[in-house]
Amino acid sequence: MRALPDAPPAPTPGSEVRALSSSRTLASGIFWNGLGRALPVIVALVATPFLLHRLGIERWGLFTLALSLAGSFGILDFGIGAALTRALAERIGTPAEHEAAPIIVAALTLLTLISVAGAALGWVAMPWVMAHLFDVPPPLRREATGAFRLLCLGGPLIVVNGALWGVMSAFQKFRLAILSNLPVSVLYYAGPAAVLWMAGGLRPVIAALVAARLLQAVITGAIVLRLVPALSARRLPDLRLLRPLLRIGAWITVSNVLWPLMLYIDRFIVGALLPLAAVSYYATSLDVVVRLMMVPLAIGAVLFPAAAASYRTLPARTGTLLRLSMLPTVAIVFPACVVLAGGSHTLLSLWLGSRFAADSATILVIFTIGTFLSCIALLPGTLSDAVGRPEIGALILLAQAVLFLPMIVLMTRHGGITGAAVTWMLRALFNCTARIAACRLLGIAGASLVPRLLAVSGAGVGGLLACWLADPWPLRLGVMAAMAVAVPALAAALLLEPAERARIGRIACRLVPGVALAQTD
C-alpha cells in the first residue's frame, strides 16, 4: 500500500507488526510525542506576556476562551479518531491492509459532516453566547462575536486534523508528524503575536489561529497521502465501514466525557459546600500534581497504536508493551511524586506563602498519592481501548461515578477539603486496581504480571507515605533519596525479564565506563 523506493523481500508473518510494536519504535514514539506535547507549552510561555500586553486584559480573557473552545471542538470527534487509529493499526501487515483507504475516506467524510454541522450551530448561537454565557461587555460584544465566528469556521479543520493525526499514529510516524507540524506548533502562538505587530483587535488574532489549523491540515493531509497512496483514487465513501468504529467510538466518547468529569467535579462540589477560599487551597494543590499525568498520556498515545497492531497478530506482545511502557512511567513520575510528598510544606511555602502551605500541604500529599496511582492506571486503560474493549473503561468510570460522587459529598461535609482529597485518592486507588485487573480478564496481562503491577503500585504508595511521615528533616531527606531510587529499581526488577535486564546492563557498560570496570573486577 505504501510507496517504497525498492521492492523489499517478502516479509515474514507478523514482521511488520513486530517492527511497529518494537521497544525501539516505542521509545522513539514516546520521545517525539513527549516533545510534541512540551513544545507548545514552551512557545506559549514565551509568547504569553507579549500577547497579554498587546491585547489587554479583557481581550486576553477572550483569547484564552477561544483556545478552550478550539479544544472543545474535539468532542465532535465522538471517539471516531481513536477508533480509526485502532482499526488501521490492527490491519497493518495483514491481508486486510487494503481496507485502510476506504475506512479513512468514510471516517473523514462523517467527521466533516458532523463538524460542519457543529460549526454552523456555533455560528448561529454565537451572539447569544457572547451576550449571556460569557457576559462580554457591550463595547466588545460585536468584535468578540465576529472573532468567535471565525473560530467556528476552523472547527472542522480541528476535527479532521485529529483524525489525520490518528492515521499517522497508527503507522507510528510520530517523528515525521512532530517535525512536520513544528511550524504549526510555533505559529499557533507566534502567529497571533506577529499579527498584533501589524493590526490590533481580536479578529486578526483568531484568523491567525484558523490559518495555523489550515496549514496543519495541508501538511498532515500530504503526509497521510504519502502513507496511504490509495487515498488519491476517487471513491464514494462507504459509511457501512463505520459501524465498528461507531460502536467503539461511542464507548470512547463515554470515557472522554466521564474521565474529566471524575477528575474535576470534586472542585465544584467543594465550591458548593465550602467557602471560596477552600476551593483555592484545594484546586491549586490538585493542579500542581495532576500535571504529572502528561507523562503517561504521552506514553499512552504511542502505546495505543502499538498495542492495537500487536493484539490480533501477536497477542503475547501486548503484555510486553504494557511492561515496557510502565517502567518509564514509574521512573519519571515517582521521583517527582517523592519531591512533592516529602517537600509539600516547604514547596508551597516558597511558592505561595506559609499560610497557604499550612492549609494545603496535607492535601497536596494526598493528591500526590492519588496522582501516582492515576498515572499507573492510565496505561492499562489505554490498552483496553486499543484492543477494542473501550466499554471496560467506560463501565469502570460509571462505577466510580456511582460509588464516589455520593462519598465526596459526604466526606466534604464532614471532613472539609481533606475529606474531599481522601475521596479523590480512594477513587484513584479503585481505578488503578480495576484497570489492572481488567487487563488480566482481557488476556492482555499474564497471571504473573498483574501481581507485579499491583506490587509496584503498593510500593509506590508506601514510599510516598514514608517520605511524608519521616521526621526530622535530615531523616526525611534520606528517606526521600532512598525511595526515589528504590521504587523505580523495584519496578525494573519486577517488570523486566532477565534478558531485558541483561540488555540494559550491556548498554550501561557501553555508556558508563565505571560500570564496565566494576563488572570486570
Side-chain angles (χ1 to χ4, degrees), residues 117-118 140 147 197 480:
L140 282 176
W197 280 109
M480 289 170 63

Side-chain angles (χ1 to χ4, degrees), residues 226-241:
R226 182 181 175 186
L227 290 174
V228 191
L231 285 172
S232 59
R234 293 185 179 180
R235 57 166 54 87
L236 293 174
D238 186 357
L239 297 182
R240 292 173 299 179
L241 295 171

Side-chain angles (χ1 to χ4, degrees), residues 185-330:
S185 300
V186 173
L187 282 175
Y188 208 58
Y189 275 88
V195 166
L196 285 174
W197 280 109
M198 298 176 287
L202 197 60
R203 292 185 189 181
V205 170
I206 300 300
L209 293 181
V210 176
R213 291 290 186 176
L214 179 60
L215 177 61
Q216 182 184 25
V218 172
I219 294 173
T220 309
I223 294 173
V224 170
L225 277 175
R226 182 181 175 186
L227 290 174
V228 191
L231 285 172
S232 59
R234 293 185 179 180
R235 57 166 54 87
L236 293 174
D238 186 357
L239 297 182
R240 292 173 299 179
L241 295 171
L242 295 177
R243 289 178 182 173
L245 272 65
L246 291 172
R247 181 188 66 82
I248 294 174
W251 284 110
I252 292 176
T253 300
V254 172
S255 295
N256 288 345
V257 171
L258 284 176
W259 187 68
L261 177 68
M262 294 305 302
L263 194 62
Y264 295 112
I265 196 173
D266 50 326
R267 305 179 189 210
F268 297 102
I269 294 175
V270 169
L273 299 177
L274 299 176
L276 188 59
V279 182
S280 299
Y281 296 132
Y282 187 91
T284 302
S285 298
L286 183 56
D287 284 339
V288 168
V289 71
V290 295
R291 295 184 186 275
L292 292 174
M293 295 177 71
M294 288 182 64
V295 175
L297 284 172
I299 295 173
V302 181
L303 178 63
F304 186 94
S310 66
Y311 184 65
R312 177 178 293 185
T313 308
L314 302 168
R317 180 150 186 82
T318 310
T320 301
L321 291 172
L322 177 59
R323 290 190 298 101
L324 296 178
S325 300
M326 192 67 73
L327 187 57
T329 300
V330 175

Side-chain angles (χ1 to χ4, degrees), residues 162-187:
L164 293 174
W165 184 276
V167 176
M168 291 188 291
S169 298
F171 286 89
Q172 294 280 357
K173 299 297 182 181
F174 290 103
R175 183 179 66 173
L176 179 61
I178 295 299
L179 290 177
S180 62
N181 281 284
L182 186 60
V184 178
S185 300
V186 173
L187 282 175

Side-chain angles (χ1 to χ4, degrees), residues 81-124:
L84 176 63
T85 301
R86 179 190 175 276
L88 296 176
E90 70 176 3
R91 285 168 169 79
I92 295 174
T94 71
E97 190 172 358
H98 70 278
E99 299 174 357
I103 292 175
I104 294 172
V105 170
L108 291 179
T109 300
L110 180 60
L111 288 175
T112 300
L113 294 173
I114 293 173
S115 59
V116 166
L121 181 61
W123 177 285
V124 172

Side-chain angles (χ1 to χ4, degrees), residues 21 29-30 89 101 161 256 337 351 361 412 426 436 449 462 467:
S21 60
I30 290 170
N161 283 337
N256 288 345
C337 289
W351 186 33
T412 303
L426 292 175
I436 293 174
L449 182 55
C467 293

Side-chain angles (χ1 to χ4, degrees), residues 34-126:
L35 179 64
R37 288 177 179 269
L39 187 62
V41 176
I42 297 172
V43 175
L45 289 174
V46 174
T48 292
F50 175 77
L51 290 170
L52 177 58
H53 174 73
R54 297 286 292 189
L55 286 171
I57 190 66
E58 290 182 332
R59 286 184 175 86
W60 168 255
L62 287 169
F63 178 72
T64 59
L65 285 174
L67 294 179
S68 300
L69 181 61
S72 68
F73 268 108
I75 200 170
L76 296 177
D77 172 89
F78 291 109
I80 294 174
L84 176 63
T85 301
R86 179 190 175 276
L88 296 176
E90 70 176 3
R91 285 168 169 79
I92 295 174
T94 71
E97 190 172 358
H98 70 278
E99 299 174 357
I103 292 175
I104 294 172
V105 170
L108 291 179
T109 300
L110 180 60
L111 288 175
T112 300
L113 294 173
I114 293 173
S115 59
V116 166
L121 181 61
W123 177 285
V124 172
M126 200 54 65

